[in-house]
């Protein structure tokens, strides 16, 4: 029997692509991203859908969705999009275009939250875990203070001001208060790795601290960081939804999935599709990102030593 030697990167990649839930999540997330950005376009780049999220029209058939997914041989109307697949709102705006715009905004905020919280959390955790002493004491006490403040309350205060400045400011503001969990994880990894022989050898050779952190220790914590980043994205879209529902997130005339749910919650009894479509996309994005995070966690787990061919 021939034993094939594989690098650590190859082993991680094989584990991840053999994780069925992660693959389902990845396909779903890519589908949502491609659908949202290709349908109505981005900025000056047009999409394939012929309606916009701002143009009004006459309300047809009470604004009911024209989407059909049941084939004709099963007694349905056939597979078709129709004129307004997700229906229309009360002023005749095409709801498919509106939901796609909300999905774009929510995805942008969520990925910004994941990026900002990951950068801050990894920096704080790495610095405190490596240098110890007074640096660790100051950074960890600051982290404890941030943990003591309810995230939703703190995020609501920052979002109330940042929401007027646009989605970039909103994403940065929320990311600036959601990094504490990652900071503690990275600090724990650095406390363990800084005592390893390869770090001691680098220190004895006169290697600068910054090089030891980024060249020798950080690569060994990349698994924790990547997994935490994906989970931060999932948590970010739910937090943005909650803030937009409270009218503290994305502001009119723009929309997000959370603001659409808030705007049309009273239509639950008469036109439920206005409430359900944003909810479906929120659940799809959050679940798919969580499944991807689970797959990455299993792929980076050093206890997973067996890879099936």
């Amino acid at each position: 029997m021939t034993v094939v030697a594989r690098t650590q990167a190859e082993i991680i990649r094989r584990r991840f692509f053999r994780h069925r839930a992660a693959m389902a999540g990845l396909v779903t997330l890519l589908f949502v991203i491609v659908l949202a950005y290709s349908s109505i376009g981005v900025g000056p780049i047009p999409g394939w859908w012929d309606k916009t999220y701002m143009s009004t029209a006459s309300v047809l058939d009470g604004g009911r969705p024209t989407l059909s997914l049941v084939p004709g041989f099963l007694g349905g109307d056939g597979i078709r999009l129709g004129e307004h697949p997700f229906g229309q709102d009360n002023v005749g705006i095409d709801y498919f275009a509106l939901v796609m715009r909300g999905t774009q905004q929510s995805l942008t905020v969520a990925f910004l939250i994941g990026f900002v919280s990951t950068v801050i959390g990894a920096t704080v955790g790495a610095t405190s875990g490596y240098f110890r002493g007074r640096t660790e004491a100051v950074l960890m006490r600051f982290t404890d203070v941030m943990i003591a403040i309810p995230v939703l309350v703190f995020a609501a205060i920052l979002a109330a001001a940042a929401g007027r400045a646009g989605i970039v400011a909103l994403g940065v503001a929320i990311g600036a208060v959601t990094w504490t969990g990652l900071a503690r994880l990275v600090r724990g990894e650095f406390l363990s790795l800084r005592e390893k022989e390869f770090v001691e050898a680098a220190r004895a050779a006169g290697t600068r601290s910054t090089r030891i952190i980024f060249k020798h220790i950080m690569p060994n914590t990349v698994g924790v960081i990547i997994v935490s980043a994906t989970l931060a994205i999932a948590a970010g879209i739910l937090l943005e939804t909650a803030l937009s529902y409270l009218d503290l997130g994305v502001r009119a005339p723009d929309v997000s999935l959370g603001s659409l749910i808030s705007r049309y919650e009273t239509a639950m009894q008469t036109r439920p599709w206005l409430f359900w479509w944003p909810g479906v996309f929120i659940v799809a994005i959050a679940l798919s990102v969580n499944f991807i995070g689970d797959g990455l966690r299993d792929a980076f787990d050093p206890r997973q030593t067996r890879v099936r061919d």
Side-chain angles (χ1 to χ4, degrees), residues 238-270:
L238 295 177
L239 184 56
E240 184 278 326
T241 299
L243 292 173
S244 295
Y245 182 80
L246 298 173
D247 199 25
L248 296 172
V250 176
R251 303 297 179 85
D254 218 334
V255 296
S256 70
L257 294 176
S259 66
L260 287 176
I261 289 179
S262 176
R263 182 186 300 181
Y264 297 111
E265 63 174 333
T266 56
M268 185 65 182
Q269 300 298 326
T270 56

Side-chain angles (χ1 to χ4, degrees), residues 151-235:
V151 173
L152 185 59
V153 174
F154 202 0
I157 295 173
L158 293 179
R164 303 184 184 92
I167 61 170
V168 174
L170 178 64
V172 172
I174 299 176
V177 299
T178 55
W179 52 266
T180 53
L182 177 59
R184 284 185 169 274
L185 288 174
V186 173
R187 171 180 170 269
E189 292 291 321
F190 266 70
L191 287 175
S192 174
L193 291 171
R194 74 188 299 273
E195 307 300 333
K196 298 294 184 180
E197 292 79 3
F198 67 92
V199 176
E200 292 292 341
R203 193 180 292 118
T207 306
R208 292 178 300 175
S209 296
T210 53
R211 182 174 176 80
I212 292 175
I213 291 174
F214 291 104
K215 182 70 175 179
H216 297 284
I217 303 181
M218 190 67 79
N220 289 283
T221 64
V222 68
V224 172
I225 294 173
I226 291 177
V227 172
S228 297
T230 57
L231 298 179
I233 293 172

Side-chain angles (χ1 to χ4, degrees), residues 16-70:
F16 177 71
F17 284 111
R18 290 176 181 273
H19 196 290
R20 293 181 180 178
M23 287 298 96
L26 182 61
V27 170
T28 301
L29 182 61
L30 289 176
F31 172 76
V32 170
I33 293 174
V34 171
L35 178 64
Y37 285 94
S38 68
S39 58
I40 62 172
V42 183
I45 303 175
W48 51 265
W49 191 241
D50 61 349
K51 300 175 182 63
T52 70
Y53 65 95
M54 293 183 294
S55 58
T56 60
S58 300
V59 179
L60 305 176
D61 192 26
R64 288 180 173 81
T66 59
L67 175 67
S68 176
L69 298 176
V70 181

